[in-house]
Amino acid sequence: MTATTPALRDANDGAPLAVTSAARILIVEDDFAIASNLHAFLSLKGFDVDAAYSGQAALHRCSVERFDVILLDLGLPGLDGLTFLRRLRDELRAATPVLVISARSDLADKLAGFAHGADDYLTKPFALAEVEARVRALLNRSGAGSVVDPVLRFGTLELDRERGEVRVADSVVRLTPKAAQLLELLLRRPGQLVRRAAIEAALWPDAQPQADALRSQIHSLRKALAEHGFDGIETVHGIGLRLVARARDGA
Ligand code: CA
């Protein structure tokens, strides 16, 4: 599901900005081959995909970020899948749809999964197409993609996807469509490194970007934000970008 956010306007020509808000999926799976297979497939289908390799890491991610669907393995090191699920529901009070994907195929295991708060259950081995179909069904049922907080925030910086505005400390910042899209990618993962390759794939999905295209968008975004006093975009050389709190923007 690719929900296109409405109405961000280009500062230059008034054309709508193509800022997409793909549904966010968290894969919780300790088998790297399975996790990367799911990751590659679902990314290709246009989802915004992340992975955690333990229940503890997944619980932490869910305590600081919001996902639209969680794909959950049960046999995990440390905090197992069922415990993660119970704590997700009881402690974090998160209603995020959870699709259990497990080799445990007994009826008792499936029932335990549902009893702990699963929304759906798929047994391994599975077909990727079926994972996609189940994910889409869960998204449709939960209304994710349409009911999302339209405002992404980091310190004094806000991107309001409903009003089509980027603001720093309440003053409106004019951005090009690509720069706004880049900013959204960073705002979705505050403090975390967002890789160049992922940014390029999101900004230029249909084409190999020209060598300096991303650099020029980064420059334009930084310049526009700096004019409003925000300088929290950090380059990790050769790897990517992240949003960081700096004293002057009070983030
Ligand atoms: Ca496992």
Side-chain angles (χ1 to χ4, degrees):
M1 162 180 306
T2 303
T4 305
T5 47
L8 270 184
R9 293 278 153 184
D10 185 350
N12 303 320
D13 59 15
L17 295 191
V19 175
T20 57
S21 63
R24 296 199 66 195
I25 299 176
L26 179 65
I27 299 166
V28 189
E29 170 64 79
D30 64 325
D31 182 317
F32 284 84
I34 294 176
S36 68
N37 202 13
L38 282 168
H39 195 294
F41 175 77
L42 293 167
S43 299
L44 203 68
K45 294 293 177 177
F47 296 102
D48 179 10
V49 190
D50 254 311
Y53 301 103
S54 73
Q56 199 63 53
L59 201 63
H60 174 69
R61 293 294 298 272
C62 292
S63 70
V64 293
E65 292 175 74
R66 195 197 54 238
F67 296 92
D68 297 308
V69 172
I70 296 169
L71 306 187
L72 179 65
D73 179 31
L74 293 183
L76 295 167
L79 190 70
D80 69 88
L82 288 180
T83 308
F84 162 82
L85 191 47
R86 185 177 48 72
R87 293 181 61 180
L88 177 78
R89 301 299 188 220
D90 293 351
E91 291 173 22
L92 301 183
R93 300 265 155 211
T96 316
V98 172
L99 166 58
V100 169
I101 303 183
S102 173
R104 301 176 193 169
S105 58
D106 290 351
L107 176 62
D109 291 312
K110 293 180 186 173
L111 294 179
F114 286 107
H116 281 72
D119 297 275
D120 197 2
Y121 198 111
L122 182 61
T123 53
K124 294 174 180 172
F126 54 83
L128 288 167
E130 186 170 359
V131 173
E132 183 192 0
R134 287 176 187 265
V135 164
R136 289 189 191 282
L138 288 172
L139 286 168
N140 287 340
R141 239 174 284 151
S142 71
S146 55
V147 185
V148 292
D149 184 351
V151 182
L152 296 169
R153 295 180 186 84
F154 184 76
T156 55
L157 177 61
E158 292 184 345
L159 189 155
D160 184 332
R161 294 177 289 178
E162 209 162 77
R163 297 174 60 179
E165 278 181 4
V166 173
R167 298 181 292 263
V168 173
D170 293 330
S171 72
V172 175
V173 183
R174 300 280 162 197
L175 293 178
T176 65
K178 294 285 188 204
Q181 216 178 336
L182 168 59
L183 179 61
E184 180 173 354
L185 290 174
L186 298 176
L187 277 168
R188 282 210 219 126
R189 293 179 176 71
Q192 289 178 47
L193 180 64
V194 184
R195 291 178 179 275
R196 291 185 71 99
I199 297 171
E200 288 176 340
L203 265 58
W204 294 277
D206 304 320
Q208 194 72 16
Q210 293 177 341
D212 280 339
L214 177 56
R215 190 177 311 170
S216 115
Q217 292 304 327
I218 294 168
H219 176 76
S220 132
L221 175 60
R222 272 216 179 95
K223 185 161 172 286
L225 295 177
E227 282 167 9
H228 294 264
F230 182 92
D231 69 345
I233 297 178
E234 182 182 84
T235 300
V236 180
H237 282 290
I239 303 177
L241 298 173
R242 70 176 150 223
L243 279 181
V244 293
R246 303 215 203 266
R248 61 180 283 206
D249 36 81

